[in-house]
Amino acid sequence: VIPGWFSEISPMWPGEAHSLKVEKVLFEGKSDYQNVMVFQSATYGKVLVLDGVIQLTERDECAYQEMITHLPLCSIPNPKKVLVIGGGDGGVLREVARHSSVEHIDICEIDKMVVDVSKEFFPDVAVGYEDPRVKLHIGDGVAFLKAAPEGTYDAVIVDSSDPIGPAQELFEKPFFESVAKALRPGGVVCTQAESIWLHMHIIEDIVTNCRQVFKGSVNYAWTTVPTYPSGVIGFMLCSTEGPEVDFKNPVNPIDEKDDHEKSIGPLKFYNKEIHAAAFCSVYFYAPLVIFY
Ligand code: AAT
């Protein structure tokens, strides 16, 4: 550990630790679920850390939040009802709000401290909560989905932390079964699905489970986020049986004319080329071929 630097050390990425220079620690707290920390970094703006793991930085959060949201929502026409699991910082809400067709957004975040801290330290992210379509539920996403009425949502976005800690069940088969039930026919889910460089075993399990549960399409996409472990993060995109969803060819572009009125600023990362590119396979890394 280098004094004055934050190093992200975890058994989920043994033998490596990305480090950021700390200018100032702004918040440290312990919620019922996890340790919560915010610091000002020298080069990535403010950083939100849960149990020692970086959840977002001001500089590169756009790459993650835009991709996890627009990969599913731009793949179906007229999404109306959207559910976000996790994502208490509000960044995914901000991105969902760009879609004018959306009428209602439920979010179920387990930890109220994440919501409060984001509102205090990350106003450009928590701005997502200002949209009147948003309804916040504080609770466990697993229980929320079990109780959700069948066939309700057009899209479910699982913006979850890593599977060590409160998010563990969000990576397991019973959870995917509840997601499938809560979706309408031809509805879509996008889940945070870890790194192709570090977590092939986790990804393989997710793919196996999703192939059994989701009877529409099952695809893996990935993008770059420099402050996530290995600088890469992936997403599992699946649809339920119903109108066919071709994730690689987005049918529902974002009308950026609307963004100004919603005061959420322009897109910084997502566009339709990067959407299609996110699904390309990495042939030099043999195990990835299983996806195609
Ligand atoms: N938006 C980018 C940051 C995240 S946030 C992940 C969120 O999931 C956290 O706020 C955490 O409190 C919440 N969470 C964890 N478990 C549950 C649960 N069971 N139900 C509801 N919410 C939950 C993602 C960071 C990815 C990190 C990659 N290394």
Side-chain angles (χ1 to χ4, degrees), residues 34 50 53-55 64-65 85-89 108-111 114 139-141 159-162 166-167 170 192 228-229 233:
Q34 50 210 349
L50 299 178
V53 176
I54 293 177
Q55 305 294 301
Y64 175 79
Q65 325 260 32
I85 299 291
D89 52 79
C108 181
E109 159 64 50
I110 204 165
D111 194 343
V114 175
D140 183 1
D159 177 16
S160 116
S161 30
D162 299 318
L170 303 179
Q192 192 271 88
Y228 282 164
I233 197 148

Short mmCIF file of all heavy atoms in Angstrom, two decimals, residues 34 50 53-55 64-65 85-89 108-111 114 139-141 159-162 166-167 170 192 228-229 233, ligand 1:
data_model
loop_
_atom_site.label_atom_id
_atom_site.label_comp_id
_atom_site.label_asym_id
_atom_site.label_seq_id
_atom_site.Cartn_x
_atom_site.Cartn_y
_atom_site.Cartn_z
N GLN A 34 -22.39 -2.31 4.26
CA GLN A 34 -21.03 -2.18 3.73
C GLN A 34 -20.35 -0.90 4.22
O GLN A 34 -21.00 -0.01 4.75
CB GLN A 34 -21.08 -2.19 2.19
CG GLN A 34 -22.08 -1.21 1.60
CD GLN A 34 -22.66 -1.65 0.26
OE1 GLN A 34 -22.19 -2.59 -0.36
NE2 GLN A 34 -23.69 -0.95 -0.21
N LEU A 50 -17.18 1.16 -2.17
CA LEU A 50 -17.95 0.33 -1.24
C LEU A 50 -17.12 -0.90 -0.88
O LEU A 50 -16.66 -1.61 -1.79
CB LEU A 50 -19.28 -0.13 -1.88
CG LEU A 50 -20.27 0.96 -2.29
CD1 LEU A 50 -21.51 0.34 -2.93
CD2 LEU A 50 -20.67 1.83 -1.09
N VAL A 53 -14.03 -1.39 -2.85
CA VAL A 53 -14.11 -1.58 -4.31
C VAL A 53 -14.71 -0.33 -4.97
O VAL A 53 -15.77 0.16 -4.54
CB VAL A 53 -14.97 -2.83 -4.66
CG1 VAL A 53 -15.13 -2.98 -6.16
CG2 VAL A 53 -14.33 -4.08 -4.06
N ILE A 54 -14.05 0.17 -6.01
CA ILE A 54 -14.51 1.38 -6.69
C ILE A 54 -15.84 1.11 -7.40
O ILE A 54 -15.96 0.16 -8.18
CB ILE A 54 -13.46 1.85 -7.72
CG1 ILE A 54 -12.19 2.33 -6.99
CG2 ILE A 54 -14.03 2.98 -8.61
CD1 ILE A 54 -11.05 2.75 -7.90
N GLN A 55 -16.84 1.94 -7.11
CA GLN A 55 -18.14 1.82 -7.77
C GLN A 55 -18.24 2.80 -8.93
O GLN A 55 -18.82 2.51 -9.95
CB GLN A 55 -19.28 2.07 -6.79
CG GLN A 55 -19.23 1.19 -5.56
CD GLN A 55 -19.45 -0.28 -5.86
OE1 GLN A 55 -20.49 -0.66 -6.40
NE2 GLN A 55 -18.48 -1.13 -5.53
N TYR A 64 -19.67 3.41 -18.16
CA TYR A 64 -20.41 2.29 -17.58
C TYR A 64 -21.92 2.55 -17.58
O TYR A 64 -22.71 1.75 -18.08
CB TYR A 64 -19.90 2.04 -16.16
CG TYR A 64 -20.67 1.00 -15.41
CD1 TYR A 64 -20.45 -0.36 -15.63
CD2 TYR A 64 -21.64 1.34 -14.47
CE1 TYR A 64 -21.17 -1.33 -14.94
CE2 TYR A 64 -22.35 0.39 -13.77
CZ TYR A 64 -22.12 -0.94 -14.01
OH TYR A 64 -22.84 -1.89 -13.32
N GLN A 65 -22.34 3.70 -17.04
CA GLN A 65 -23.78 3.95 -16.85
C GLN A 65 -24.49 4.07 -18.20
O GLN A 65 -25.61 3.60 -18.35
CB GLN A 65 -24.02 5.26 -16.08
CG GLN A 65 -22.99 5.55 -15.02
CD GLN A 65 -23.43 5.21 -13.62
OE1 GLN A 65 -24.18 4.26 -13.42
NE2 GLN A 65 -22.95 5.96 -12.67
N ILE A 85 -32.08 -2.47 -10.55
CA ILE A 85 -31.70 -3.12 -9.29
C ILE A 85 -30.28 -2.64 -8.95
O ILE A 85 -29.39 -2.69 -9.81
CB ILE A 85 -31.72 -4.66 -9.43
CG1 ILE A 85 -33.11 -5.17 -9.78
CG2 ILE A 85 -31.17 -5.33 -8.16
CD1 ILE A 85 -34.15 -5.04 -8.69
N GLY A 86 -30.06 -2.20 -7.69
CA GLY A 86 -28.77 -1.59 -7.33
C GLY A 86 -28.76 -0.18 -7.86
O GLY A 86 -29.79 0.51 -7.87
N GLY A 87 -27.58 0.28 -8.29
CA GLY A 87 -27.51 1.60 -8.93
C GLY A 87 -27.94 2.77 -8.07
O GLY A 87 -28.41 3.79 -8.58
N GLY A 88 -27.75 2.64 -6.73
CA GLY A 88 -28.21 3.67 -5.80
C GLY A 88 -27.63 5.05 -6.04
O GLY A 88 -28.20 6.06 -5.63
N ASP A 89 -26.51 5.13 -6.74
CA ASP A 89 -25.91 6.43 -7.04
C ASP A 89 -26.79 7.27 -7.96
O ASP A 89 -26.65 8.49 -8.00
CB ASP A 89 -24.51 6.24 -7.65
CG ASP A 89 -24.54 5.26 -8.83
OD1 ASP A 89 -24.93 5.67 -9.93
OD2 ASP A 89 -24.19 4.08 -8.63
N CYS A 108 -34.63 -0.36 -7.05
CA CYS A 108 -34.52 -1.04 -5.76
C CYS A 108 -33.05 -1.15 -5.38
O CYS A 108 -32.31 -1.97 -5.93
CB CYS A 108 -35.18 -2.41 -5.81
SG CYS A 108 -35.06 -3.25 -4.22
N GLU A 109 -32.64 -0.31 -4.45
CA GLU A 109 -31.25 -0.27 -3.96
C GLU A 109 -31.27 -0.72 -2.50
O GLU A 109 -32.13 -0.29 -1.74
CB GLU A 109 -30.70 1.15 -4.10
CG GLU A 109 -29.51 1.51 -3.22
CD GLU A 109 -28.24 0.71 -3.51
OE1 GLU A 109 -27.83 0.62 -4.68
OE2 GLU A 109 -27.65 0.17 -2.55
N ILE A 110 -30.32 -1.58 -2.14
CA ILE A 110 -30.35 -2.15 -0.78
C ILE A 110 -29.90 -1.13 0.28
O ILE A 110 -30.34 -1.19 1.43
CB ILE A 110 -29.47 -3.43 -0.73
CG1 ILE A 110 -29.91 -4.34 0.41
CG2 ILE A 110 -27.99 -3.10 -0.65
CD1 ILE A 110 -29.35 -5.76 0.32
N ASP A 111 -29.06 -0.17 -0.10
CA ASP A 111 -28.35 0.63 0.89
C ASP A 111 -28.67 2.12 0.76
O ASP A 111 -28.17 2.80 -0.14
CB ASP A 111 -26.84 0.39 0.71
CG ASP A 111 -26.04 0.89 1.88
OD1 ASP A 111 -26.57 1.70 2.67
OD2 ASP A 111 -24.87 0.48 2.01
N VAL A 114 -25.88 4.75 0.26
CA VAL A 114 -25.34 5.01 -1.09
C VAL A 114 -26.13 6.14 -1.75
O VAL A 114 -25.56 7.04 -2.38
CB VAL A 114 -25.38 3.73 -1.97
CG1 VAL A 114 -24.93 4.04 -3.39
CG2 VAL A 114 -24.52 2.63 -1.37
N GLY A 139 -34.37 -1.61 -0.43
CA GLY A 139 -34.55 -3.01 -0.05
C GLY A 139 -33.68 -3.91 -0.91
O GLY A 139 -32.98 -3.45 -1.81
N ASP A 140 -33.79 -5.20 -0.64
CA ASP A 140 -33.00 -6.19 -1.37
C ASP A 140 -33.64 -6.46 -2.73
O ASP A 140 -34.83 -6.78 -2.82
CB ASP A 140 -32.95 -7.48 -0.53
CG ASP A 140 -32.09 -8.55 -1.17
OD1 ASP A 140 -31.52 -8.30 -2.26
OD2 ASP A 140 -31.98 -9.64 -0.58
N GLY A 141 -32.85 -6.34 -3.77
CA GLY A 141 -33.35 -6.54 -5.13
C GLY A 141 -33.91 -7.93 -5.36
O GLY A 141 -34.83 -8.12 -6.17
N ASP A 159 -27.67 -3.13 -12.00
CA ASP A 159 -26.43 -2.39 -11.79
C ASP A 159 -25.90 -2.77 -10.43
O ASP A 159 -26.12 -2.08 -9.44
CB ASP A 159 -26.72 -0.88 -11.86
CG ASP A 159 -25.48 -0.06 -11.58
OD1 ASP A 159 -24.36 -0.61 -11.63
OD2 ASP A 159 -25.63 1.14 -11.28
N SER A 160 -25.25 -3.91 -10.38
CA SER A 160 -24.94 -4.49 -9.09
C SER A 160 -23.44 -4.45 -8.80
O SER A 160 -22.62 -4.44 -9.72
CB SER A 160 -25.48 -5.93 -9.07
OG SER A 160 -24.46 -6.86 -8.95
N SER A 161 -23.13 -4.47 -7.52
CA SER A 161 -21.72 -4.58 -7.14
C SER A 161 -21.27 -6.03 -7.35
O SER A 161 -22.04 -6.87 -7.81
CB SER A 161 -21.53 -4.10 -5.70
OG SER A 161 -22.67 -4.32 -4.91
N ASP A 162 -20.01 -6.31 -7.01
CA ASP A 162 -19.45 -7.64 -7.29
C ASP A 162 -20.07 -8.71 -6.38
O ASP A 162 -20.58 -8.39 -5.30
CB ASP A 162 -17.93 -7.58 -7.12
CG ASP A 162 -17.30 -6.58 -8.08
OD1 ASP A 162 -17.71 -6.56 -9.25
OD2 ASP A 162 -16.41 -5.81 -7.65
N PRO A 166 -23.37 -8.01 -0.42
CA PRO A 166 -24.84 -8.04 -0.56
C PRO A 166 -25.34 -8.39 -1.96
O PRO A 166 -26.51 -8.73 -2.14
CB PRO A 166 -25.27 -6.61 -0.17
CG PRO A 166 -24.05 -5.77 -0.27
CD PRO A 166 -22.89 -6.67 -0.02
N ALA A 167 -24.47 -8.33 -2.96
CA ALA A 167 -24.92 -8.58 -4.34
C ALA A 167 -24.79 -10.05 -4.76
O ALA A 167 -25.15 -10.40 -5.88
CB ALA A 167 -24.13 -7.70 -5.31
N LEU A 170 -27.50 -11.79 -6.67
CA LEU A 170 -27.87 -11.18 -7.95
C LEU A 170 -27.15 -11.85 -9.12
O LEU A 170 -27.38 -11.54 -10.28
CB LEU A 170 -27.56 -9.67 -7.95
CG LEU A 170 -28.21 -8.84 -6.84
CD1 LEU A 170 -27.79 -7.39 -6.95
CD2 LEU A 170 -29.73 -8.94 -6.90
N GLN A 192 -24.72 -6.32 -14.89
CA GLN A 192 -23.28 -6.13 -14.75
C GLN A 192 -22.66 -7.51 -14.73
O GLN A 192 -23.02 -8.34 -13.91
CB GLN A 192 -23.04 -5.39 -13.42
CG GLN A 192 -21.65 -4.84 -13.20
CD GLN A 192 -20.72 -5.84 -12.53
OE1 GLN A 192 -20.06 -6.64 -13.22
NE2 GLN A 192 -20.63 -5.81 -11.23
N TYR A 228 -12.34 0.37 -13.36
CA TYR A 228 -12.80 -0.95 -12.92
C TYR A 228 -11.65 -1.95 -13.13
O TYR A 228 -10.80 -1.75 -14.01
CB TYR A 228 -14.05 -1.39 -13.70
CG TYR A 228 -15.35 -0.73 -13.24
CD1 TYR A 228 -16.50 -0.75 -14.04
CD2 TYR A 228 -15.44 -0.10 -12.00
CE1 TYR A 228 -17.68 -0.16 -13.63
CE2 TYR A 228 -16.62 0.50 -11.58
CZ TYR A 228 -17.74 0.47 -12.39
OH TYR A 228 -18.91 1.05 -11.98
N PRO A 229 -11.64 -3.02 -12.31
CA PRO A 229 -10.52 -3.96 -12.38
C PRO A 229 -10.28 -4.46 -13.80
O PRO A 229 -11.22 -4.86 -14.48
CB PRO A 229 -10.98 -5.11 -11.47
CG PRO A 229 -12.08 -4.57 -10.65
CD PRO A 229 -12.65 -3.38 -11.32
N ILE A 233 -15.24 -3.97 -18.42
CA ILE A 233 -16.38 -4.59 -17.73
C ILE A 233 -17.40 -5.06 -18.77
O ILE A 233 -17.50 -4.46 -19.84
CB ILE A 233 -17.00 -3.65 -16.68
CG1 ILE A 233 -17.89 -4.46 -15.72
CG2 ILE A 233 -17.79 -2.51 -17.32
CD1 ILE A 233 -17.94 -3.93 -14.31
N1 AAT B 1 -23.58 2.62 -10.74
C1 AAT B 1 -22.28 2.09 -10.66
C2 AAT B 1 -21.96 1.43 -9.42
C3 AAT B 1 -22.33 0.18 -9.05
S1 AAT B 1 -23.42 0.28 -7.83
C4 AAT B 1 -23.88 -1.22 -7.24
C5 AAT B 1 -24.98 -0.99 -6.19
O1 AAT B 1 -25.64 -2.23 -5.94
C6 AAT B 1 -24.51 -0.48 -4.82
O2 AAT B 1 -25.11 0.76 -4.54
C7 AAT B 1 -24.98 -1.56 -3.83
O3 AAT B 1 -25.38 -1.05 -2.59
C8 AAT B 1 -26.14 -2.18 -4.61
N2 AAT B 1 -26.53 -3.53 -4.21
C9 AAT B 1 -25.72 -4.55 -3.84
N3 AAT B 1 -26.44 -5.64 -3.54
C10 AAT B 1 -27.75 -5.32 -3.73
C11 AAT B 1 -28.97 -6.04 -3.58
N4 AAT B 1 -28.98 -7.31 -3.17
N5 AAT B 1 -30.13 -5.40 -3.88
C12 AAT B 1 -30.13 -4.10 -4.29
N6 AAT B 1 -28.99 -3.38 -4.44
C13 AAT B 1 -27.81 -3.97 -4.17
C14 AAT B 1 -21.77 -1.07 -9.68
C15 AAT B 1 -20.30 -1.21 -9.47
C16 AAT B 1 -19.62 -2.32 -10.24
C17 AAT B 1 -18.25 -2.64 -9.65
C18 AAT B 1 -17.38 -3.45 -10.53
N7 AAT B 1 -16.15 -3.89 -9.89
#
